[in-house]
Amino acid sequence: MVRKAAPEEVRAVCRPEEISSAATDAIKPLEAIIGQERAVRALEFGLGISAQGFNIFVAGLPGTGKNTAVQSFLETIAVTKPVPPDWCYVYNFREPYCPRALKLPPGHGKQFAEDMRNFLKQARQEIPRLFKSDEYAQKKDETIERFAKEKNSLLSALNEKAEQEGFVIQIGPTGIFIIPTVEGKPLSAEEFDKLPEETKKEIMERRKQLEDLVTTTLREVQKVERKAQEAVRELDRQVVAIALDRLLAELKEKYSSLKEVLAYFDAVYQDILDNISLFRKETIEEQQRGASLQQENPFRKYEVNVIVDNSETKGAPVVVELNPTYTNLFGTIEKEAHFGALITDFTLIRAGSLHRANGGYLVVSVEELLRNPFSWDGLKRALRDRLAVIEDPLDRLGVLTTKGLRPEPIPLDLKVILLGDALLYTLLYYYDPDFRELFKVKAEFGVWMDRTKENIQKYAAFFATLCQKENLIHFDASAVAKLVEHGSRLAGFQDKLSTRFAEIADLAREASYYAQQEGAPYVTADHVNKAAQEKVYRSNLVQQVIQEMIKKNIILLDIEGEKVGQVNGLSVISLGDLEFGKPTRITATVAAGRGGIIDIEREAKLGGKIHTKGVLILGGYLSEKYRRESPLALSARLVFEQSYEGVEGDSASSAELFALLSALAGVPLKQNLAVTGSVNQKGEIQPVGGINEKIEGFFDVCRIKGLTGDQGVLIPEGNLQQLMLREDVVEAVREGKFHIYLIRTVDEGLELLTGMKPGERQPDGTFPEGTFHYLVAERLKELSQQVSAAARDKKDSDSG
């Protein structure tokens, strides 16, 4: 027995009294993820477990609010966690191309950098002042004088020996000269040449012996001079060391618990002692002028590059990376142009979002991540190795082998939360082995939740929060009730509420706008209805054109009378921001033949795979119902009339079957009824999608052409729970001007469309005379006989 849907069954009304006044309170942070208990449990587990690889993939369709909800959830959790340490890069005095990474307590990084700046400033002022002091000058003079005496003693002994041998030693800018003397008077070259050969030979022999002594003495003099220089350097080091000890004492006490920082102080201490000349300029301006002539500022190596500063962070950091390029994620080493060349040093190292999120949470869109070269592979490597490495991505490819910095990697301890849809999760899970090892937790956001009293109150609280956050006009109970009904419409079920909060929030914002335009103190149900109507109006130009063409009979569609092999099918057209129903005439023709059921849409390459499957099922139904013992002998054609675009889906398969059976039986179908629903080979009518849009589409056409009171639609009974029809359609149903029939089988639909009894198969396999199925069976038998007769005639003709 076919029944009609009652008015109260075609729309799940939410009454204002169902909205509690307590729901006007704003949602508490931990309750921000509404109706997503499964996702919340997954997030709590993923964020709670510390084992490696338990990072989180949050899957869900756009508009479900997963981005905002996850960020809010993380921020709520993060404030309860400890603040992570600061990270700095400093100069590596042993390996200058490998800057060292220093970890400091949160907030200490900036102070450490400031302390080093003050230390350097004081050192550059204090050290030159020490070298200008009288005390230093006196000690230096004493040191030089001590070694000068030793040097003079060596030279005096040499001169005495030379005089004894008849020579005089003269030290000039070009070297040492050993000059012979006669009676204490040095000989000139001319005088020496005039001497007898025997005398000259004797002088030269004595000179040779003296040369060995001169060489030995000069070697000793050089040693003395080197000792003097070393003594002066040691004096300088002692003087500077005293100053450094005084300047570093307070810093070492301040950072006494940080061994790595203390080791860095020792390295700075030693490097300054090894480079005292840098600090000996009398003024800082002189030091800077001297440094400007060099390729780099030599004092930059004493600076501190704070790449992660958590001084103002409350709890663990939550970093949302909207543009996950390689450099944005992993940092970069910047370069400066200097005299036409690009140079760099550790002060130009810049952190990425991975460093800023270290010790906390990093949120990234997986689609954006995959779109950026090197980012996905780099993230996997960082999570697998638990290290944040700053390098040029081209270095991994081996494209360029230029000499550059290799900063020390920083240990990673964070949770990465990827945001994407279920399809991307499935593809990564099956085709990327690393993915399943690194992202072991899936938190999936559904598109609906149960329409319970508790969830209705959460819905109301969501709108209250939205109003407070965006300064909207608040909603009264009637407005919230309409939004709840809209949520059920979006969800596609009467007992569900949509969690596509982005779309629902847009409707709320528009309703608030209209209330503001009217100067209303609250948003009411009328404002929500107007917002919904205006949203449709802005986008339904195509729908209006189609309806006007139907009204003018440009698109042919009968809503009265009866026709053989013709039925009104229902389809849905999607324009992206709007979906609406469009009634379509479906016709069928039959003839004797072996072609079977021919889908003209498929032949014209307009039919999709699911639609083709639905048509093929019709052949299975006919064989099951009528020709169990012998094959079908017919050639039938099905078509969507005046359809010039692609057709997809199987929701019209029942309408196509009704048209085909009507053509076979020669029994007309009522045109005041439209049909939707898929069919299986057993003749059962199955639920379909877009049921509300399809019903409203046919209702609009009937209203335009004129409601007669007997018009309506046949829908699968399983779709009843999905009905959330417009209020004007509900009113027409209540007044008996429009009807919604719930069918479960093909037979129930045939009885409504034809007014005939379908007929049940009898024990002998036949159908009772006068029933619809009897007519179909007889026609199929007739077609079979025609095909058999044609085959015999052809055989006789060929043999003759």
Side-chain angles (χ1 to χ4, degrees), residues 159-409:
N159 285 327
E160 290 178 2
K161 181 64 176 177
E163 288 177 3
Q164 292 175 3
E165 296 293 332
F167 293 92
V168 63
I169 304 296
Q170 290 186 355
I171 302 176
T174 59
I176 296 178
F177 300 95
I178 302 175
I179 302 172
T181 60
V182 175
E183 297 179 356
K185 180 181 179 181
L187 296 176
S188 64
E190 292 80 4
E191 291 174 338
F192 181 79
D193 290 338
K194 293 177 181 180
L195 294 174
E197 289 297 326
E198 289 294 331
T199 303
K200 288 194 292 185
K201 184 177 180 181
E202 180 188 359
I203 293 174
M204 292 304 294
E205 288 178 355
R206 286 187 288 113
R207 176 191 176 100
K208 185 176 180 180
Q209 294 176 357
L210 188 59
E211 282 179 351
D212 294 337
L213 180 61
V214 169
T215 300
T216 302
T217 302
L218 290 180
R219 189 178 297 116
E220 293 298 323
V221 168
Q222 289 175 350
K223 289 181 180 179
V224 171
E225 290 177 343
R226 284 195 296 270
K227 288 181 180 179
Q229 293 174 357
E230 183 61 32
V232 171
R233 281 196 295 269
E234 184 60 29
L235 175 63
D236 292 348
R237 290 171 66 89
Q238 291 175 0
V239 171
V240 173
I242 294 173
L244 293 179
D245 287 337
R246 185 173 66 256
L247 294 175
L248 285 174
E250 183 178 352
L251 292 180
K252 286 187 174 182
E253 181 179 356
K254 183 176 182 179
Y255 298 95
S256 59
S257 62
L258 303 175
K259 294 182 179 180
E260 293 184 349
V261 175
L262 294 179
Y264 172 69
F265 286 150
D266 293 339
V268 170
Y269 179 93
Q270 189 60 45
D271 188 76
I272 293 178
L273 292 181
D274 293 340
N275 296 276
I276 294 176
S277 59
L278 290 176
F279 294 83
R280 295 198 65 167
K281 303 293 183 181
E282 294 187 358
T283 64
I284 293 179
E285 288 74 15
E286 290 179 357
Q287 295 171 359
Q288 291 173 341
R289 283 197 298 270
S292 66
L293 299 177
Q294 304 178 33
Q295 191 175 24
E296 297 182 58
N297 180 358
F299 297 103
R300 287 177 70 169
K301 62 182 177 179
Y302 302 114
E303 295 180 8
V304 175
N305 181 11
V306 182
I307 66 167
V308 177
D309 176 23
N310 288 313
S311 58
E312 298 182 3
T313 304
K314 307 298 182 184
V318 177
V319 178
V320 180
E321 182 54 69
L322 301 177
N323 183 27
T325 62
Y326 186 89
T327 54
N328 285 351
L329 274 178
F330 305 101
T332 185
I333 304 174
E334 296 177 347
K335 296 178 176 60
E336 291 179 342
H338 196 88
F339 296 121
L342 294 177
I343 63 172
T344 188
D345 60 37
F346 74 97
T347 63
L348 298 178
I349 298 174
R350 300 292 177 257
S353 52
L354 205 65
H355 300 85
R356 293 191 296 274
N358 199 10
Y361 312 99
L362 174 63
V363 182
V364 187
S365 167
V366 67
E367 186 175 349
E368 293 295 329
L369 187 67
L370 295 173
R371 186 178 288 122
N372 285 281
F374 310 114
S375 295
W376 174 239
D377 287 336
L379 180 62
K380 291 191 297 181
R381 186 179 298 106
L383 293 178
R384 187 171 54 245
D385 300 339
R386 290 190 172 187
L387 292 173
V389 181
I390 301 178
E391 62 181 351
D392 192 318
L394 295 180
D395 290 346
R396 291 191 178 275
L397 298 178
V399 176
L400 298 174
T401 56
T402 56
K403 192 174 184 179
L405 298 182
R406 295 289 185 271
E408 181 182 356

Side-chain angles (χ1 to χ4, degrees), residues 621-652:
Y621 172 82
L622 293 179
S623 297
E624 169 72 15
K625 192 75 175 179
Y626 304 107
R627 302 293 293 179
R628 294 182 176 179
E629 296 81 15
S630 59
L632 294 172
L634 83 159
S635 180
R637 287 170 173 78
L638 294 169
V639 67
F640 282 65
E641 302 290 357
Q642 293 183 286
S643 172
Y644 309 107
E645 64 277 344
V647 177
E648 181 59 302
D650 62 352
S651 65

Side-chain angles (χ1 to χ4, degrees), residues 697-734:
F698 188 66
F699 172 80
D700 290 337
V701 170
C702 293
R703 179 173 48 81
I704 291 170
K705 285 198 163 190
L707 289 168
T708 61
D710 62 352
Q711 294 148 336
V713 294
L714 279 64
I715 68 170
E717 188 179 50
N719 280 123
L720 177 62
Q721 59 189 323
Q722 296 180 286
L723 294 184
M724 285 296 296
L725 297 173
R726 293 193 321 246
E727 293 184 2
D728 57 337
V729 182
V730 176
E731 187 62 28
V733 171
R734 181 177 291 108

